[in-house]
Amino acid sequence: MINTRQLLTIGGLALCAGLAFAGDAVGEAQKQPLNMTAIAMFFVFVVSTLGITYWAASQTKTTSDFYTAGGGISGFQNGLAIAGDYMSAATLLGLSALTYAKGLDGFIYAIGFFVGWPVILFLMAERLRNLGKFTFADIASYRLDQGKIRTFAAIGSLTVVCFYLIVQMVGAGQLIKLLFGLDYPIAVTVVGVLMVVYVTFGGMIATTWVQIIKACLMLFGGTVLLFLAMSQFGFSLEGMAQKAVETHKGGISIMGPGSLMADPVTAVSLSLGLVFGTAGLPHIMMRFFTVPNAKEARKSVFVASGCIGYFFIVVCILGLAAIPIVGTNPEFFEGGQVGGKILGGGNMPVMHLAKALGGNLFLGFMSAVAFATILAVVSGLALAGASAIAHDLYARVIRAGQASEAEEMRVSKLSTLALGVVAVVLGIMFEKQNVAFLVGLTFGIAASANFPVLILSMYWKGLTTRGALLGGLVGLISAVVMVILSKAVWVVVLGNAAPIFPYEQPALFSMPLAFFFTWLFSVTDSSARAKTDKSGFDDQYVRSQTGVGAAAASAH
């Protein structure tokens, strides 16, 4: 097994990795001249991670190795990998740009992304590790009807994965077209091919180490940039804030809440989606099965929370620093007109800050980081999708548990290839679309379909197969329908005059519906299956608390 010291050495050599593009952080971008420094650093990263994949392939012998690295990842390593999953290009580009444009609102938005982690730490991490083996469907179906619940869980997971993949691929194409001068279809195809290679040959072991390297380099790059930025203001946050207020057209108003709080319903709905959607993302849940025991699961959330919280603070401060540094420099505006359109679009202030403080070399490093992060996140998503197809649908439902490990591995790898093709095709198809609504849909589905069934299966004795299935479907369908009927899709995408559903975030409405109907269909269920479901809770409770019978770890 690679130890942490070797990890840091590899991280230093790779000189790039990064963040998962979790939103419409990069809008329509014009093709730019080739950035040879960024491309060179990107190739160093790719070669390094392909080397890790080659090593991981020799360690990946069983389905447990492929899906969960055999449970042999330490809590500290897994915490870094989770942080790598969650520190996204939306974090680096989107939150910094939001702080640059709106001030305090950027910090408020960051809090929404972060608050979900205590929920996972205190309510879910230990039970997830003790009850699960490969996917969150293992937990949801522990005492319920295996075929029905696994089918529903797989559909919910694949829905989240596919929408999230669209966001990743469109973001990758636009970001690379902007930073590297590559054509959009080429950029999307490159990401898709590398994703398939990482997952098919290296499985969770390779994906984990790519995420760890990415997280370390992202933390390193952000910290260096923060140090350079603070040095411009005598390492005084007060001095930086004063300069930002003097420079920004909004003046002192940027130090108070603004547009994000204008509509309380949307703000609350978005917050619910971000908080509870995090606990329903399949590629995040899978990470808890890569550690040897519940203690390491809790430790991994603790490490991830610290890294993510620190990075969010760094990014918001960088956005504030960009106001006086980038906002007053004609070099970073179209036509040299300060206050006009910023070069590369409104999400690029942190990249311009990197160039202003570290020159083309540091810009190349940060560009390579922002590009390479997408490779790591789509790998995790593809692995989650492949496990839903091969482990839940094929091995447990279609073959009723009779599939051999070799068969399941073969189906997993074919599923990864298929998901890669789908991701590239959808990424190219959605090139011109505004994909912001897809982020809300992704978190809304996760919070409305996956989270209620997952949390109730662990904590409520009265949950039945009928309740979980029908309640989960209500959450899934209502979240999708509400987003389709909202302004983001009904008006912007489909061209209608006015939205039917007045809000763009569904979680405030669809998540309570999911909980209510799950409860209703469970308490009114008097079937023999319901009695079996309820009687199995005590055994599940003991397992969730003690870990007796949980999947054991293997060494690599």
Side-chain angles (χ1 to χ4, degrees):
M1 193 65 185
I2 297 178
N3 60 36
T4 304
R5 182 174 298 176
Q6 290 171 316
L7 151 71
L8 296 175
T9 302
I10 293 172
L13 291 174
L15 280 180
C16 39
L19 339 86
F21 192 89
D24 192 26
V26 178
E28 185 64 23
Q30 294 182 348
K31 185 178 176 182
Q32 301 291 302
L34 287 174
N35 185 332
M36 296 309 297
T37 305
I39 292 175
M41 291 183 174
F42 165 67
F43 275 111
V44 171
F45 171 83
V46 170
V47 171
S48 300
T49 51
L50 286 177
I52 292 174
T53 303
Y54 178 79
W55 164 78
S58 66
Q59 307 292 314
T60 303
K61 299 181 177 66
T62 66
T63 51
S64 177
D65 294 334
F66 185 80
Y67 293 135
T68 62
I73 304 297
S74 73
F76 180 76
Q77 293 164 348
N78 193 49
L80 286 175
I82 292 174
D85 258 325
Y86 210 71
M87 292 189 303
S88 67
T91 305
L92 180 67
L93 302 180
L95 286 181
S96 61
L98 184 59
T99 308
Y100 173 84
K102 302 288 186 180
L104 184 66
D105 276 352
F107 288 86
I108 295 174
Y109 205 83
I111 291 171
F113 276 105
F114 181 69
V115 171
W117 288 102
V119 174
I120 297 175
L121 174 60
F122 293 112
L123 295 181
M124 303 180 70
E126 183 173 345
R127 296 191 182 205
L128 282 170
R129 178 58 189 90
N130 286 337
L131 291 173
K133 187 177 181 183
F134 295 153
T135 68
F136 98 85
D138 292 332
I139 300 163
S141 64
Y142 186 91
R143 59 188 170 91
L144 307 180
D145 184 279
Q146 292 279 321
K148 293 178 181 177
I149 297 303
R150 283 188 183 277
T151 301
F152 162 73
I155 291 172
S157 294
L158 285 171
T159 304
V160 173
V161 165
C162 285
F163 279 110
Y164 218 50
L165 276 174
I166 294 174
V167 177
Q168 308 298 328
M169 301 306 284
V170 173
Q174 298 294 0
L175 185 63
I176 304 326
K177 185 168 74 173
L178 174 70
L179 296 175
F180 294 90
L182 297 178
D183 289 327
Y184 178 86
I186 295 175
V188 170
T189 303
V190 167
V191 174
V193 169
L194 288 172
M195 170 191 80
V196 171
V197 171
Y198 289 156
V199 176
T200 301
F201 294 102
M204 180 59 86
I205 301 174
T207 300
T208 296
W209 286 103
V210 171
Q211 289 283 24
I212 290 172
I213 293 171
K214 183 192 88 167
C216 290
L217 291 170
M218 182 50 55
L219 290 168
F220 170 76
T223 301
V224 171
L225 188 55
L226 175 66
F227 179 85
L228 294 174
M230 291 296 294
S231 68
Q232 302 296 307
F233 304 95
F235 296 96
S236 169
L237 276 174
E238 183 180 357
M240 178 189 294
Q242 183 62 42
K243 284 287 186 182
V245 169
E246 292 173 1
T247 306
H248 199 282
K249 62 182 179 182
I252 193 63
S253 66
I254 66 169
M255 291 300 164
S259 58
L260 282 182
M261 307 301 289
D263 180 5
V265 174
T266 297
V268 172
S269 192
L270 173 64
S271 299
L272 285 174
L274 293 177
V275 171
F276 297 108
T278 303
L281 294 175
H283 66 296
I284 296 292
M285 296 299 101
M286 280 188 74
R287 297 235 55 92
F288 291 101
F289 311 135
T290 65
V291 292
N293 51 54
K295 178 182 177 182
E296 294 299 301
R298 291 193 301 270
K299 182 178 178 181
S300 64
V301 181
F302 181 77
V303 172
S305 299
C307 293
I308 294 166
Y310 167 75
F311 191 72
F312 279 9
I313 293 172
V314 168
V315 166
C316 290
I317 294 175
L318 291 178
L320 195 64
I323 295 174
I325 296 175
V326 175
T328 58
N329 192 334
E331 178 185 353
F332 302 120
F333 291 89
E334 293 183 8
Q337 183 179 354
V338 174
K341 289 186 177 181
I342 195 167
L343 285 174
N347 293 286
M348 299 309 292
V350 73
M351 290 300 178
H352 295 318
L353 184 66
K355 183 176 181 181
L357 299 176
N360 280 325
L361 181 64
F362 198 65
L363 172 64
F365 170 78
M366 295 302 292
S367 300
V369 164
F371 178 76
T373 181
I374 299 167
L375 299 178
V377 139
V378 295
S379 297
L381 286 168
L383 192 57
S387 67
I389 296 171
H391 178 64
D392 295 327
L393 288 179
Y394 177 76
R396 301 297 176 181
V397 177
I398 297 174
R399 293 296 307 277
Q402 300 301 309
S404 67
E405 284 201 353
E407 287 180 283
E408 191 173 334
M409 287 280 284
R410 185 165 58 250
V411 173
S412 292
K413 293 181 178 182
L414 290 174
S415 301
T416 302
L417 180 61
L419 282 169
V421 173
V422 169
V424 171
V425 171
L426 289 176
I428 293 174
M429 286 175 57
F430 278 76
E431 176 187 2
K432 303 297 183 183
Q433 295 290 343
N434 182 328
V435 298
F437 74 93
L438 290 174
V439 180
L441 180 57
T442 300
F443 277 85
I445 289 174
S448 305
N450 295 347
F451 175 72
V453 173
L454 187 62
I455 197 73
L456 290 176
S457 70
M458 292 191 291
Y459 280 93
W460 185 39
K461 183 175 183 176
L463 182 68
T464 68
T465 296
R466 188 180 79 170
L469 185 63
L470 296 179
L473 285 173
V474 168
L476 175 64
I477 295 170
S478 62
V480 173
V481 170
M482 287 176 189
V483 172
I484 291 175
L485 298 180
S486 71
K487 178 182 177 182
V489 183
W490 196 251
V491 177
V492 176
V493 177
L494 300 180
N496 293 292
I500 297 176
F501 181 70
Y503 306 105
E504 294 186 13
Q505 300 295 335
L508 179 60
F509 309 95
S510 55
M511 191 171 77
L513 283 176
F515 274 108
F516 173 76
F517 282 104
T518 301
W519 170 81
L520 179 65
F521 289 125
S522 291
V523 297
T524 57
D525 188 357
S526 57
S527 64
R529 176 72 241 187
K531 294 178 182 177
T532 303
D533 296 337
K534 295 173 184 177
S535 65
F537 180 80
D538 291 337
D539 173 68
Q540 175 185 302
Y541 179 78
V542 172
R543 164 82 169 263
S544 71
Q545 295 297 310
T546 65
V548 175
S554 62
H556 299 296

